[in-house]
Amino acid sequence: MSANTNKYIDPLSDFGFKHLFGGEPNKEIMIAFLNALFEGEKYITDLIYNPTELAGDDSKHKKVSFDLLCTGDKGEQFIVEMQRADHDNFEDRCIFYLSRLIHQQKLKSNRHWEVKLKEVFLVAILDFNMKNCLSDHYLQSISLVNTGTGKIFHNGLGFKFLELPKFDKKEDELENELDKWVYMLKHMHSLDQIPKYLDKRVFEKIFNIAEMGRLSPEQQFVYDSILQREEDDYSRLKSAERRGIKEGIEKGLEKGKHETALAIARKMKEENFDNDKIAGFTTLSIEEIESL
C-alpha cells in the first residue's frame, strides 16, 4: 500500500503526468488540455498516441525519447514534455526535438515542393522559470516571425512553454480555461476534493483517475518509487548548483532514470508481477526485464 497520504497523485510527477495524459482511453484529457492551450489558434477533435522514441538514421546518430507524442486529426504532431528541473541547453533540446519530427517526415522527391509539411509543435510544462525570460506571463508562445514586423512567417512550427512558477492566481481569479488547467496542475496533489470552479466533465474525469485509492498495487509501487527518485534527484541537483557542478549531475540524473526503472522492475519481479505489466509501468523492453 502507498505511504503517500495525499488524496490525489501529483500530476507533475513522471508517473502522474503519464497516468493522466498518456493513454488512448483518456485521450479526451489531452485533447481538452491542448485546445485550452492553443486558445482558438487550433481546435483538435481527435488524436492518436505515437511511439515516444525516434531512432537516428544510423547507430551514430542520437535517438530521442519524448514524454508523449501524439498526432491530431489534421495530421499535426505534438510533443508534450513535463520538466520539473531546469537543464542547460534546454531550448536547444526543444529545437532538436522538433527538427527530428520534421526530418522523420521524409518527403518524397518533388522538384516543385507541392507537398506541404505537417505542422509540428512542442508543448513543455515547466516547474521552473526559463533562463531566457521573454515575458512575465506564464504562457510563452513561440513561432517563426519576421523580427522587423512581428508578423508570423510560418505557423506550422511552434513552441508552447507553460512556466508554472509564474502562475499565482487564486481560485476566484481564474479567467479562462487555461487558467483552470494550470491551477489544477499546480495544486491537485494538495487538494482533498475537486473544486467547484472546475465544472467541466473532463476535470471530474481527471480527479477520478488521479485518486490514490484507485491505483492498483503495481501503480502505487511505481508511483512511490518514482516520486522518491524525483525528490532525491531534485536535492542532488540543488546541491550541485551550489557547488557549481550542475552539468555532470544532469548527465547522472538521466542515467539514474534508467537505473530506477531497472530497480522497480527487479522489485516487481520479486513480487511476481508478469513481464508485460512490468514493461508497461517501467517502459523497459521485455528483453531487459527477462535478463534481470
Side-chain angles (χ1 to χ4, degrees), residues 50 144 186 223:
N50 307 116
L144 294 176
K186 286 198 68 170
Y223 176 60

Side-chain angles (χ1 to χ4, degrees), residues 171-224:
E171 292 183 23
D172 58 356
E173 298 174 327
L174 305 181
E175 301 176 43
N176 52 45
E177 287 302 304
L178 186 57
D179 280 356
K180 294 179 181 180
W181 279 95
V182 178
Y183 189 93
M184 182 205 73
L185 288 169
K186 286 198 68 170
H187 298 289
M188 170 185 275
H189 70 286
S190 62
L191 299 173
D192 57 12
Q193 63 181 358
I194 180 171
K196 293 180 180 178
Y197 55 85
L198 297 180
D199 50 0
K200 284 194 170 183
R201 188 181 68 86
V202 69
F203 290 121
E204 294 180 2
K205 181 171 185 175
I206 293 171
F207 274 80
N208 283 335
I209 297 171
E211 279 192 31
M212 287 290 299
R214 292 179 181 268
L215 298 182
S216 68
E218 302 100 311
Q219 290 171 326
Q220 288 179 343
F221 176 80
V222 174
Y223 176 60
D224 288 338

Side-chain angles (χ1 to χ4, degrees), residues 64-75:
V64 295
S65 297
F66 315 123
D67 284 343
L68 296 172
L69 174 63
C70 47
T71 301
D73 51 295
K74 300 177 183 65

